[in-house]
Amino acid sequence: MITIKKRLLVFTSLFTGMLASLSSCVTVKEYQKNKLNDAEMSLSSRKIEKTELNFQSYREGASGANGGKTGGGCGCN
Amino acid sequence: MKKICLTIVGIYIGLLAAFSQASSSTDTSYKSRKLKFEEANFVGSYYQQDGNHAAVTGGIGSQKLNDFSTSFDLKLSKYDRHKRKHIFTAEIGIDHYTSASSDKIDPTTISSASYADTRFYPSLGWSRENEEKGVTIGAGLYTSTEYDYQSFGANINFAKKTSNRNGEFSAKLQGYFDQLKLIYPKELRPNSGGGGGSGDDDDDDDSYGSASRNTFSGTLAWSQIINKNLQLLLEGELVYQDGYLSLPFHRVYFDDNSVHIENLPSKRLKIPVAIRLNYFLGDRFIIRSWYRFYKDDWNIQSNTIQLETSVKINPFLSVTPFYRFYQQTAADYFAAFKVHTAADTYYTSNYDLSTFNSSFYGAGIRLSPPKGVFSIQHLNALEIRYGHYQRNIDFNSNIISLHLKFK
């Protein structure tokens, strides 16, 4: 069984790797944004995740910072 | 003759100027006057859960729940005479659920009024973007109605792009003003005398009191394009709630076998901060990653990580497996069935506020052919996604969703 610490370590390593490429930050022109403009590259949560985000905000103590609900509607069952 | 020539040249230049002006301004005014259909979306989901820690029965008992939810939104746009783009959105959502634990609010009936409920939630939004300056402002209204809960919400937002259009700062303020009916467990209702009152199911609107709950949140976000393949979003939110934050039908059993209604503080401050990184790897893979740290003044601390990879089988078909790991510590006021004591000021046996971790995994498939899905020209995209959610404390759920995008 993978421990919580190990899972966090794996994800932290992935993030660190991606953050490392921040050093290569360059200005990207509009005509170079074809990959960035792909529907699946959107920086917001996707439409199809709508109900998932709702049930997670009801079933978990933490919520917010993901475009999901922070209030309104009971969802108390 | 000179006069005639000059007049002809003057008229010609005038006409030319008028014509060329008309050409460009006609183009702009055409955009400004006509309301354009941008897109419409339909999202339908079926959610099913089961567990053995229902808060209605004090942290024990079935959490079986089925929920059908559908929403439809419409997005329209138009340009005004200052070349600013206005976006108008309207959304209608309907959820219908059946819940085994809600049925235990009044165990004297075979099936109480709270066994099933329908939530109806329309919303309206508007935004105005000045494409030249890279500034967007917007506002929205929201309402949600269910049998025992009514909510009204409003928001305003602002966004500004950097001069090179590679970064964007955004801010959002939201407020929700909720009213809930105080539907207590049958045996704890003031007139029940502890024995079920009249014995009839008297779930009518007038027999309940009400309480209010307010939620205010402020969000700041920064998005940045790093290179042609990578972009990130940093997001921080401050959420403040006050009012009746317990739920009136949640039972809590003390160690002396007495039963009480959940009692939680009337204030809560939540701070979630998140980072999202999306990377286009080669020509076929999109890696979407998200991490959130959360802390609140009820002493819940949580970490959430999500990773999903879209694999483009071809430019119009992609498959997206995903995995999400969530972990939280318990709220100070949580204890299991018959663990709370009379010395506790605040108490709950709601396992959503307990220590647990969960895994959520599944996959989605997305179709977006150039001639439309199933050759239906306006059906721009179709997506189906399934996920399984598993807690380490005897709770699991499944969700399947369908998204249709019309353009």
Side-chain angles (χ1 to χ4, degrees):
Chain A
M1 173 119 181
I2 304 169
T3 62
I4 295 169
K5 277 187 179 175
K6 277 183 182 169
R7 288 185 207 204
L8 285 171
L9 193 67
V10 169
F11 280 95
T12 309
S13 308
L14 277 168
F15 271 109
T16 311
M18 291 175 104
L19 280 170
S21 48
L22 292 181
S23 55
S24 59
C25 195
V26 291
T27 297
V28 179
K29 306 281 185 197
E30 286 305 313
Y31 64 86
Q32 297 174 311
K33 290 183 181 173
N34 60 322
K35 285 185 174 174
L36 298 171
N37 290 335
D38 189 287
E40 290 171 295
M41 279 289 282
S42 166
L43 282 170
S44 56
S45 55
R46 294 190 290 160
K47 292 270 182 192
I48 199 160
E49 294 177 85
K50 187 184 169 76
T51 314
E52 290 172 14
L53 295 173
N54 278 353
F55 98 74
Q56 286 158 7
S57 69
Y58 296 142
R59 288 286 78 91
E60 296 172 343
S63 62
N66 62 352
K69 281 167 63 67
T70 49
C74 183
C76 30
N77 295 285
Chain B
M1 187 66 191
K2 225 179 187 179
K3 265 187 180 176
I4 294 169
C5 283
L6 282 172
T7 308
I8 290 168
V9 170
I11 290 170
Y12 175 73
I13 291 171
L15 277 171
L16 198 68
F19 184 75
S20 52
Q21 254 183 2
S23 172
S24 65
S25 69
T26 302
D27 192 39
T28 310
S29 60
Y30 176 76
K31 276 184 182 171
S32 73
R33 289 202 166 85
K34 193 165 181 179
L35 201 59
K36 187 184 154 200
F37 169 75
E38 289 275 334
E39 64 178 60
N41 293 280
F42 169 84
V43 179
S45 297
Y46 171 65
Y47 170 79
Q48 163 273 323
Q49 72 172 43
D50 199 4
N52 200 26
H53 294 295
V56 174
T57 39
I60 55 168
S62 172
Q63 288 176 276
K64 248 180 201 163
L65 180 141
N66 293 288
D67 181 275
F68 289 95
S69 66
T70 54
S71 71
F72 182 77
D73 69 69
L74 182 65
K75 188 174 172 185
L76 304 169
S77 72
K78 73 175 273 189
Y79 282 84
D80 66 15
R81 59 188 172 147
H82 300 292
K83 298 179 185 173
R84 295 175 303 195
K85 189 179 187 182
H86 294 252
I87 301 265
F88 304 94
T89 53
E91 182 175 352
I92 292 175
I94 299 172
D95 293 357
H96 180 77
Y97 75 81
T98 55
S99 162
S101 68
S102 294
D103 202 29
K104 302 291 182 194
I105 293 171
D106 180 359
T108 61
T109 59
I110 294 167
S111 185
S112 67
S114 54
Y115 170 67
D117 199 1
T118 301
R119 184 165 82 96
F120 176 65
Y121 48 103
S123 64
L124 289 171
W126 162 81
S127 70
R128 190 190 71 193
E129 182 184 6
N130 186 326
E131 290 170 338
E132 213 169 276
K133 292 181 179 172
V135 173
T136 304
I137 56 167
L141 290 170
Y142 163 91
T143 180
S144 170
T145 305
E146 52 198 303
Y147 176 71
D148 58 344
Y149 207 95
Q150 175 74 56
S151 176
F152 293 100
N155 69 73
I156 52 170
N157 53 75
F158 168 84
K160 170 110 177 79
K161 287 187 174 126
T162 55
S163 55
N164 67 1
R165 300 296 192 262
N166 277 207
E168 184 178 62
F169 164 78
S170 62
K172 189 174 188 179
L173 290 173
Q174 295 179 92
Y176 292 96
F177 308 93
D178 306 348
Q179 282 289 321
L180 64 154
K181 281 182 195 163
L182 296 174
I183 302 176
Y184 297 114
K186 186 73 175 177
E187 72 278 16
L188 296 172
R189 290 177 194 171
N191 299 324
S192 71
S198 64
D200 299 326
D201 182 15
D202 54 354
D203 289 355
D204 61 81
D205 288 9
D206 300 332
S207 59
Y208 305 117
S210 69
S212 64
R213 175 187 298 174
N214 302 315
T215 305
F216 304 96
S217 85
T219 308
L220 295 177
W222 176 264
S223 66
Q224 179 67 48
I225 291 169
I226 310 301
N227 57 44
K228 286 186 282 184
N229 298 311
L230 178 65
Q231 55 189 347
L232 76 80
L233 174 77
L234 298 168
E235 193 169 3
E237 195 167 351
L238 192 66
V239 183
Y240 173 77
Q241 289 187 298
D242 68 19
Y244 189 83
L245 304 184
S246 315
L247 282 170
F249 44 81
H250 283 181
R251 292 178 178 89
V252 179
Y253 290 89
F254 282 14
D255 61 349
D256 58 4
N257 286 327
S258 59
V259 59
H260 302 259
I261 298 160
E262 178 182 77
N263 187 31
L264 289 167
S266 58
K267 287 179 172 43
R268 189 176 181 187
L269 186 68
K270 309 175 183 181
I271 305 174
V273 287
I275 177 170
R276 193 184 288 275
L277 274 169
N278 291 351
Y279 184 60
F280 209 123
L281 178 67
D283 291 324
R284 285 183 178 271
F285 300 96
I286 293 174
I287 300 167
R288 290 165 57 88
S289 54
W290 181 72
Y291 168 77
R292 177 182 65 195
F293 173 78
Y294 169 95
K295 190 160 177 56
D296 68 29
D297 61 355
W298 289 6
N299 225 6
I300 291 178
Q301 188 171 304
S302 152
N303 293 283
T304 315
I305 36 190
Q306 182 164 338
L307 192 64
E308 59 180 63
T309 307
S310 290
V311 182
K312 290 189 177 292
I313 310 294
N314 63 45
F316 320 114
L317 171 66
S318 62
V319 176
T320 308
F322 65 89
Y323 177 73
R324 176 184 186 270
F325 177 75
Y326 174 86
Q327 163 271 328
Q328 75 173 41
T329 59
D332 286 344
Y333 318 113
F334 171 82
F337 181 70
K338 289 189 180 176
V339 173
H340 277 294
T341 68
D344 294 338
T345 309
Y346 298 112
Y347 36 84
T348 178
S349 293
N350 180 0
Y351 273 72
D352 297 341
L353 302 176
S354 70
T355 296
F356 70 87
N357 63 62
S358 68
S359 290
F360 180 53
Y361 49 87
I365 184 163
R366 184 173 189 274
L367 278 165
S368 184
K371 289 181 180 173
V373 180
F374 307 130
S375 298
I376 302 168
Q377 195 190 347
H378 291 290
L379 183 50
N380 176 263
L382 178 151
E383 192 169 1
I384 296 171
R385 181 167 153 121
Y386 167 78
H388 176 75
Y389 182 87
Q390 182 75 52
R391 271 187 199 170
N392 63 337
I393 50 163
D394 195 13
F395 177 93
N396 66 76
S397 67
N398 295 285
I399 182 166
I400 186 158
S401 301
L402 167 73
H403 173 210
L404 301 175
K405 181 178 180 178
F406 300 90
K407 228 172 164 167

